[in-house]
């Protein structure tokens, strides 16, 4: 989600449809949650978070998808934060904003019409506007600014998830090979790892 990339694509490929991948949007929402957690802890506790704080204990669950949390995990996140007062309630409000955004993005490839998409978008933006949390409102402003590209993803379902996954694997191989001097070997290791799935469908030659 870079204005420079968007401008470059519009200049070089004026007829292309620009799509913002949902991975980067959810990543942005998770960063917002972490920022809210750090800021509210610093403001209300006067220090950095510690392992004994409920918001610190729930930090990883806050970043997980709602459907990936079991009932017990959800209760262990929700109830302590709800009982914590302003810190917990602020975090839960930001978490709901993230989930509303995910519900909007989940309409991709479902055949949802404009009315359904518009209602999910209105629900997300309204929640953010009523939250009175600066980071949540900033997220809403960013989503609104990039809405044509996000809407293009929802309606077309196009994603670069495969290339993102390959890029991640390449980075992992590069970290594992840190200090190696043979660049050709590292290139071959990268090709071997990133083509593993395709090579798995090949059959052994019969002699």
């Amino acid at each position: 989600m870079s204005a420079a990339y968007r401008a470059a694509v519009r200049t070089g490929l004026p007829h292309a449809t620009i799509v913002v991948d949902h991975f980067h949007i959810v990543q942005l929402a998770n960063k917002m949650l972490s920022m809210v957690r750090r800021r509210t802890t610093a403001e209300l506790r006067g220090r950095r978070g510690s392992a004994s704080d409920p918001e610190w204990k729930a930090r990883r669950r806050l970043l997980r998808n709602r459907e990936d949390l079991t009932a017990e995990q959800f209760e262990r996140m929700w109830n302590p934060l709800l009982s914590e007062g302003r810190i917990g309630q602020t975090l839960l409000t930001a978490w709901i904003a993230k989930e509303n955004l995910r519900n909007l993005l989940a309409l991709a490839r479902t055949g949802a019409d404009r009315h359904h998409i518009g209602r999910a978008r209105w629900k997300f933006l309204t929640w953010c506007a009523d939250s009175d949390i600066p980071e949540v409102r900033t997220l809403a402003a960013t989503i609104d600014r990039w809405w044509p590209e996000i809407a293009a993803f929802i309606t077309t379902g196009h994603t670069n998830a495969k290339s993102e996954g390959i890029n991640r694997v390449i980075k992992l191989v590069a970290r594992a090979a840190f200090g190696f001097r043979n660049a050709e070997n590292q290139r071959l290791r990268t090709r071997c790892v990133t083509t593993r799935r395709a090579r798995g469908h090949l059959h052994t030659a019969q002699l």
Side-chain angles (χ1 to χ4, degrees):
M1 297 175 69
S2 168
Y5 283 128
R6 180 170 58 183
V9 172
R10 285 179 175 171
T11 301
L13 301 169
H15 302 295
T17 299
I18 302 178
V19 175
V20 171
D21 189 82
H22 60 302
F23 169 82
H24 297 286
I25 304 172
V26 176
Q27 185 183 55
L28 197 65
N30 283 334
K31 288 181 179 179
M32 175 274 296
L33 262 175
S34 297
M35 291 172 61
V36 171
R37 178 177 56 80
R38 296 190 188 102
R39 179 182 60 80
T40 52
T41 299
E43 287 181 355
L44 300 179
R45 298 190 188 278
R47 57 172 173 77
R48 296 180 61 183
S50 65
S52 61
D53 297 331
E55 67 271 18
W56 175 265
K57 295 178 181 178
R59 70 192 188 284
R60 297 191 185 280
R61 294 188 182 95
L62 287 167
L63 302 180
R64 293 181 63 183
N65 301 332
R66 172 63 183 92
E67 61 273 15
D68 295 333
L69 293 172
T70 64
E72 180 183 358
Q73 290 172 332
F74 179 74
E75 290 177 3
R76 290 175 62 184
M77 178 194 75
W78 185 273
N79 293 339
L81 288 177
L82 194 63
S83 303
E84 191 59 24
R86 183 178 170 188
I87 293 179
Q89 292 171 10
T90 300
L91 269 174
L92 291 177
T93 299
W95 180 81
I96 292 173
K98 182 204 66 166
E99 289 301 310
N100 283 341
L101 178 58
R102 290 188 59 252
N103 291 337
L104 171 61
L105 298 174
L107 296 177
R109 295 184 291 272
T110 63
D113 55 21
R114 288 184 58 187
H115 176 72
H116 196 177
I117 296 172
R119 185 169 57 185
R121 181 191 178 196
W122 177 86
K123 181 179 180 180
F124 164 71
L125 293 176
T126 301
W127 182 268
C128 293
D130 294 340
S131 69
D132 199 26
I133 302 174
E135 293 86 353
V136 174
R137 290 187 172 185
T138 299
L139 173 66
T142 302
I143 298 302
D144 196 48
R145 186 166 62 250
W146 284 86
W147 178 247
E149 291 79 11
I150 296 173
F153 160 72
I154 294 176
T155 55
T156 64
H158 292 321
T159 173
N160 66 334
K162 289 185 178 180
S163 60
E164 290 286 349
I166 291 174
N167 185 54
R168 176 178 176 275
V169 171
I170 291 173
K171 289 181 179 179
L172 289 175
V173 171
R175 293 191 187 102
F178 181 75
F180 290 0
R181 297 183 179 181
N182 192 321
E184 180 64 17
N185 282 350
Q186 182 171 338
R187 185 182 68 82
L188 291 176
R189 283 166 60 93
T190 300
R191 291 190 62 185
C192 180
V193 172
T194 54
T195 60
R196 182 176 298 163
R197 179 174 297 180
R199 289 187 289 107
H201 295 288
L202 301 180
H203 299 285
T204 305
Q206 301 293 328
L207 299 180

